Amino acid sequence: MQDTLYTLPVVSQITPYLSQRQQGDLPIVVISHPKVRAAIALQGAHLLSWQPSGQKPVIWLSEKTPFTTGKAIRGGVPICWPWFGPAGEPSHGFARNMPWTLTAHDENEDAVMLTFTLESNAQTKKLWPHDFTLLARFRIAEHCEIELEAYGDYEATAALHSYFQIADISQVEVSGLGNSFIDKVNDNAVGASDGKQTYPNRVDRIHTAADDCSVIHDKAGKRQIEVYHHYQSDVVTWNPGPELSCSMGDMPNEGYKTMVCVETARISKPLKSAGESPARLGTTIRIVNK
């Protein structure tokens, strides 16, 4: 699925490394740089793919996701804001379902920098009664950096809901998750942890005391994915397992075997924006080959 993003016809060439293309209903910004390639949908400022040169794809994207206006994309890095989960409608907030604007870009021999903007409007006011300006900044290079910056006067919960491509979920362990978690599969029961997570079945946990770096040990893929969390209060780990994977229309039945979510989040301590003091949430992704 990801390879097809890079072969889509060019609608407009923005800069030497940057072009706009179209997948289904959705405009896509494609980065083709000597050191890295990536794709971001304008809907949701949604990272769909990031692949440093010489590496296997890092971000997981469902081959069954529809690229339909207003419908959430399954995979990539959805921006969940201004609420996480079913705290409102639509689930995980409206930011990931709305069209953003590419408002700034820059590039050099090492990286491409992009800024996308979403502002409150009549549609958002029906869902949430606050004025806001939301910026999503990306630095696409050998490492991938994403930062969300929120202006206005309100509290919000949020997550960078990153889906990672792995070789075999049965051989994956995620470390650096701290000693306590809320178990969403088990009625929000509070659990104790040694900071490590494996995935024998469905897992959906909010780790409330995680380290600033989670490491995905992809043993079958012979690499580690390091996920650095910035301004976070929580780290979420999720894999739907076989039963839920089979019941999801936008996910292949076997989809759970090649993905794991490790999410930088603010759930237990909401983000607070005030006047000219924005709230921030960020992540940096690095690859270590083994």
Side-chain angles (χ1 to χ4, degrees):
M1 167 47 120
Q2 292 189 42
D3 280 344
T4 63
L5 297 172
Y6 301 107
T7 59
L8 294 169
V10 174
V11 176
S12 67
Q13 192 71 39
I14 304 167
T15 70
Y17 298 145
L18 211 54
S19 61
Q20 187 166 316
R21 310 188 190 197
Q22 188 82 11
Q23 175 71 33
D25 296 345
L26 305 184
I28 310 285
V29 174
V30 172
I31 294 136
S32 298
H33 185 282
K35 293 191 175 178
V36 64
R37 65 180 191 169
I40 301 170
L42 285 176
Q43 178 172 288
H46 191 132
L47 183 70
L48 304 173
S49 176
W50 169 66
Q51 187 175 5
S53 296
Q55 302 284 357
K56 300 185 293 266
V58 184
I59 303 297
W60 184 91
L61 183 65
S62 172
E63 62 207 38
K64 290 184 73 175
T65 195
F67 285 86
T68 306
T69 302
K71 192 158 177 58
I73 296 164
R74 173 67 62 194
V77 183
I79 295 172
C80 303
W81 188 93
W83 54 80
F84 180 83
E89 281 293 327
S91 181
H92 283 321
F94 52 76
R96 65 181 183 150
N97 297 346
M98 295 205 137
W100 294 50
T101 306
L102 176 62
T103 48
H105 54 82
D106 194 12
E107 58 189 39
N108 58 39
E109 59 191 27
D110 293 316
V112 176
M113 287 71 73
L114 305 166
T115 302
F116 297 84
T117 303
L118 178 69
E119 294 184 296
S120 47
N121 55 50
Q123 200 180 346
T124 68
K125 289 285 181 68
K126 288 177 187 168
L127 300 166
W128 197 59
H130 299 284
D131 289 313
F132 67 85
T133 298
L134 205 56
L135 304 178
R137 292 198 177 92
F138 295 81
R139 186 177 186 277
I140 302 293
E142 204 175 336
H143 309 324
C144 178
E145 300 172 31
I146 307 170
E147 184 172 89
L148 191 63
E149 196 170 85
Y151 290 86
D153 289 285
Y154 49 79
E155 286 192 2
T157 54
L160 299 170
H161 194 319
S162 317
Y163 289 72
F164 293 101
Q165 177 94 34
I166 46 92
D168 178 2
I169 192 66
S170 70
Q171 296 186 56
V172 162
E173 180 183 270
V174 178
S175 62
L177 296 172
N179 58 12
S180 64
F181 62 87
I182 298 163
D183 193 341
K184 307 273 282 183
V185 179
N186 189 20
D187 291 330
N188 292 324
V190 176
S193 166
D194 63 356
K196 296 174 180 174
Q197 177 72 61
T198 55
Y199 298 85
N201 209 321
R202 182 180 169 197
V203 169
D204 191 354
R205 293 178 174 180
I206 300 171
H207 298 267
T208 51
D211 298 345
D212 290 340
C213 177
S214 306
V215 180
I216 301 167
H217 304 267
D218 180 8
K219 290 162 196 164
K222 295 186 168 58
R223 69 175 177 181
Q224 292 179 2
I225 303 171
E226 297 176 347
V227 187
Y228 294 84
H229 312 288
H230 314 297
Y231 313 106
Q232 83 287 4
S233 60
D234 313 273
V235 173
V236 180
T237 61
W238 181 68
N239 179 281
E243 197 176 322
L244 183 57
S245 199
C246 287
S247 74
M248 293 162 71
D250 59 1
M251 190 156 187
N253 289 353
E254 307 273 293
Y256 73 95
K257 290 183 176 178
T258 56
M259 57 72 63
V260 67
C261 287
V262 178
E263 310 166 34
T264 305
R266 286 290 290 267
I267 302 164
S268 58
K269 295 178 188 159
L271 294 166
K272 288 185 183 178
S273 306
E276 291 303 300
S277 300
R280 290 189 173 90
L281 187 65
T283 188
T284 302
I285 306 163
R286 295 177 47 176
I287 301 301
V288 180
N289 292 313
K290 285 295 177 190

